[in-house]
Amino acid sequence: MIKSIGIVGAGQMGSGIAHVLAAGGYDILLTDTSNAQMQKSLKVIEGNMGRQVGRGKLEQVEMAEALGRIKTVAGLPELADTDLVIEAASEDEDVKRSILTALGPILKPEALIATNTSSISITRLAAVSGRPEKFMGMHFMNPVPVMELVELIRGIATDVPTFDAIHDIVLKIGKIPTNSEDFPAFIVNRILVPMINEAVYTLYEGVGTVEGIDSAMRLGANHRMGPLELADFIGLDTCLAIMQVLYEGLADTKYRPCPLLVKYVEAGWVGRKSGRGFYDYTGDKPVPTR
Ligand code: NAD
């Protein structure tokens, strides 16, 4: 029976995951290497829950209870008594490997581990966790409180009780699970991120401007967001990391990351979370950076 859940990484996704799980009645311990990020995360969660109260989607008293269930902790050792840990740190295999290697010996033997990775092999990450049968992918979508889907991905060794326990949590918090096989970037990002990469090539080759490309896809393909604003929303570092996993994992040049995407990431212009990506977000309204 899962009651207490640890979340590693308090960025955009860790914050959203903490939000929906706390609202679903789970006790949350949230940790991040950056203390400032943990404080920011609590503010973001409070603000987002407040908006849900304003829209009548959450009662004020439920919000207070949910916030009371979220605690920030200094590091992995404080997750020792949790029943499940969800890893939601940066999309970097070395970072995830070091977290998972450290977690294995800390947790109770029966505790489960899930990763929110967007693209990295679940089987490979499971192998360093020390408990591959109790490990799987639980891929939430951004923004977590709004998006209904959670992709579930088994590693080669994931056992049935682990899958069932994670599947039950997804249903309990009112989300809809789909299953994906363990291949690079799973289903959603296998399709979505190459489209974003192609939009960056379209910009790179001068076929359209930032605003031209985004309005073409909003109005011409009926997408809610243009691909470049969506890239800024996801995080350009995350988009690039996913393209690299696709490129290396599938060994096909059609997944070659656009050099302009690489340049933006190298500049630290990684999208909304840093204040600048294909648009500059520091003013009243977003302004294209090219
Ligand atoms: P983010 O950059 O907003 O947050 C990552 C957080 O991880 C940062 O706060 C960072 O300080 C923290 N971190 C880094 N190393 C750490 C460590 N060793 N221990 C603890 N914390 C550490 O990124 P994000 O958008 O929240 O993405 C997190 C994960 O979720 C990635 O695997 C990403 O692929 C996945 N994901 C992202 C999206 C999206 O749209 N952004 C959607 C689904 C899944």
Side-chain angles (χ1 to χ4, degrees):
M1 179 73 178
I2 290 174
K3 233 187 120 0
S4 163
I5 302 180
I7 299 174
V8 182
Q12 312 186 100
M13 295 306 291
S15 305
I17 295 167
H19 173 148
V20 297
L21 290 173
Y26 295 97
D27 295 326
I28 305 301
L29 295 180
L30 181 62
T31 190
D32 197 292
T33 41
S34 157
N35 191 45
Q37 186 60 40
M38 284 197 276
Q39 299 319 313
K40 184 174 166 196
S41 170
L42 293 177
K43 285 208 181 71
V44 166
I45 295 169
E46 192 171 350
N48 288 342
M49 284 189 182
R51 265 195 293 282
Q52 289 185 315
V53 170
R55 279 192 252 112
K57 299 210 156 152
L58 195 69
E59 299 287 334
Q60 187 76 50
V61 54
E62 290 171 334
M63 169 172 164
E65 283 169 6
L67 288 176
R69 283 193 281 269
I70 304 175
K71 293 195 176 48
T72 56
V73 294
L76 302 182
E78 295 191 53
L79 305 182
D81 292 330
T82 54
D83 306 311
L84 162 69
V85 171
I86 302 175
E87 177 283 310
S90 315
E91 188 72 352
D92 175 323
E93 186 160 341
D94 290 340
V95 168
K96 293 189 186 295
R97 278 172 173 271
S98 75
I99 292 169
L100 296 170
T101 308
L103 259 183
I106 291 171
L107 300 182
K108 301 182 283 194
E110 66 274 24
L112 310 182
I113 306 179
T115 173
N116 186 49
T117 180
S118 298
S119 60
I120 301 167
S121 163
I122 302 302
T123 299
R124 219 159 54 224
L125 293 176
V128 297
S129 73
R131 56 185 79 201
E133 67 292 345
K134 294 191 165 21
F135 187 99
M136 64 180 278
M138 185 184 197
H139 183 223
F140 288 85
M141 306 292 132
N142 185 19
V144 183
V146 177
M147 302 296 276
E148 285 182 301
L149 183 73
V150 180
E151 276 184 310
L152 298 182
I153 310 109
R154 298 169 212 244
I156 200 165
T158 309
D159 66 19
V160 172
T162 299
F163 181 86
D164 289 347
I166 301 291
H167 187 264
D168 282 353
I169 294 172
V170 173
L171 296 182
K172 190 172 165 208
I173 60 174
K175 304 276 184 206
I176 299 169
T178 57
N179 296 343
S180 168
E181 285 298 317
D182 185 18
F183 281 99
F186 320 124
I187 296 173
V188 173
N189 286 324
R190 170 81 178 260
I191 299 167
L192 183 65
V193 181
M195 184 205 70
I196 287 173
N197 193 50
E198 201 60 31
V200 185
Y201 270 114
T202 312
L203 178 67
Y204 179 63
E205 290 169 10
V207 183
T209 61
V210 169
E211 282 177 318
I213 292 164
D214 276 345
S215 55
M217 291 304 285
R218 270 198 313 270
L219 304 175
N222 216 11
H223 289 190
R224 194 178 302 176
M225 294 172 94
L228 300 174
E229 51 176 338
L230 179 58
D232 277 357
F233 186 72
I234 293 171
L236 303 190
D237 52 341
T238 301
C239 292
L240 176 59
I242 295 169
M243 283 312 296
Q244 274 160 343
V245 169
L246 282 167
Y247 187 51
E248 285 158 22
L250 298 169
D252 187 330
T253 53
K254 77 177 178 180
Y255 297 111
R256 187 171 69 103
C258 179
L260 186 60
L261 180 60
V262 176
K263 190 184 274 192
Y264 267 76
V265 173
E266 285 174 348
W269 294 9
V270 295
R272 269 181 188 272
K273 64 186 173 187
S274 71
R276 185 161 28 190
F278 292 111
Y279 295 85
D280 186 321
Y281 299 93
T282 51
D284 289 345
K285 69 185 217 319
V287 179
T289 51
R290 289 178 79 79

